[in-house]
Amino acid sequence: EMGMRESELRLRSIVENAFEYISIIDQDGVLWYMNRVDPPLTNADIIGKASIYELASPEARTSIQAALEEVFVHGRPASTQVSVPATGRVYGSRIAPLSSSEGEPRAVMVSTDITESLRMESQIRQKQKLEAIGTFAGGVAHDFNNLLAAISGNSRLAMPLADGEVRECLNEIEL
């Protein structure tokens, strides 16, 4: 009895202090346990009351539904991305079937906050786009400079042969 109690306390401590967000979810998406919640949300607002569908952005709901179907219908783990507008955070979530002593199907969902990673990836993509535009602009400038060099060179060659109005035009080119 004492060993079992110590084991339970140790496991509870591990889960409560984990870096990841650990949740128990049912097949309707209702959250029955969360080791932690980001403000402004609280466990009291969520546990047994809120569905993951209510918390997630509309764009994420289809992906969540497919992941829950994979877990509860096919019994296989699934991954999804959950964007929560109330917190402004995005989570990479892995969901796996969980045996429940009550007989009601449940799953464990382990989520990692990937908001910063996504922001950094977006900045890298933006930087790469700007570099590509810079390279393209440099190439265009180089090609344009080559055209100007050809025009300038030909006008210098034609200068000794020209007179009057043609010579004035060739002088304009040289400026």
Side-chain angles (χ1 to χ4, degrees):
E1 177 72 32
M2 188 60 133
M4 185 72 122
R5 176 99 174 113
E6 285 177 17
S7 177
E8 182 181 325
L9 287 173
R10 187 177 326 109
L11 287 173
R12 180 175 298 278
S13 177
I14 290 168
V15 169
E16 295 296 329
N17 293 296
F19 290 114
E20 283 77 18
Y21 297 77
I22 301 171
S23 310
I24 304 296
I25 189 169
D26 69 17
Q27 59 191 356
D28 296 323
V30 176
L31 295 155
W32 292 99
Y33 170 82
M34 291 183 77
N35 67 331
R36 61 187 170 132
V37 179
D38 288 331
L41 301 173
T42 66
N43 269 336
D45 298 329
I46 295 173
I47 304 304
K49 300 174 187 168
S51 158
I52 190 73
Y53 297 112
E54 295 167 32
L55 300 173
S57 67
E59 303 80 37
R61 292 178 186 154
T62 303
S63 172
I64 295 167
Q65 185 176 12
L68 291 180
E69 183 177 315
E70 187 69 21
V71 170
F72 288 107
V73 174
H74 303 292
R76 294 186 296 254
S79 296
T80 188
Q81 208 173 78
V82 180
S83 175
V84 181
T87 64
R89 311 303 290 170
V90 181
Y91 305 90
S93 300
R94 183 106 171 110
I95 308 168
L98 182 68
S99 24
S100 171
S101 58
E102 298 93 44
E104 188 176 328
R106 301 273 168 98
V108 63
M109 181 169 70
V110 179
S111 304
T112 302
D113 187 340
I114 59 172
T115 308
E116 283 304 307
S117 297
L118 292 175
R119 186 185 61 77
M120 289 172 63
E121 285 176 17
S122 175
Q123 286 179 342
I124 288 169
R125 276 193 302 277
Q126 184 67 21
K127 182 180 176 229
Q128 289 170 337
K129 286 178 189 176
L130 290 173
E131 285 175 353
I133 290 170
T135 301
F136 175 73
V140 169
H142 181 74
D143 289 348
F144 187 70
N145 193 38
N146 287 344
L147 288 172
L148 289 177
I151 292 169
S152 178
N154 285 327
S155 70
R156 270 189 242 123
L157 287 173
M159 189 73 77
L161 305 172
D163 59 346
E165 195 177 318
V166 173
R167 189 173 193 85
E168 283 180 36
C169 290
L170 291 173
N171 279 331
E172 286 290 322
I173 291 173
E174 286 300 311
L175 296 177

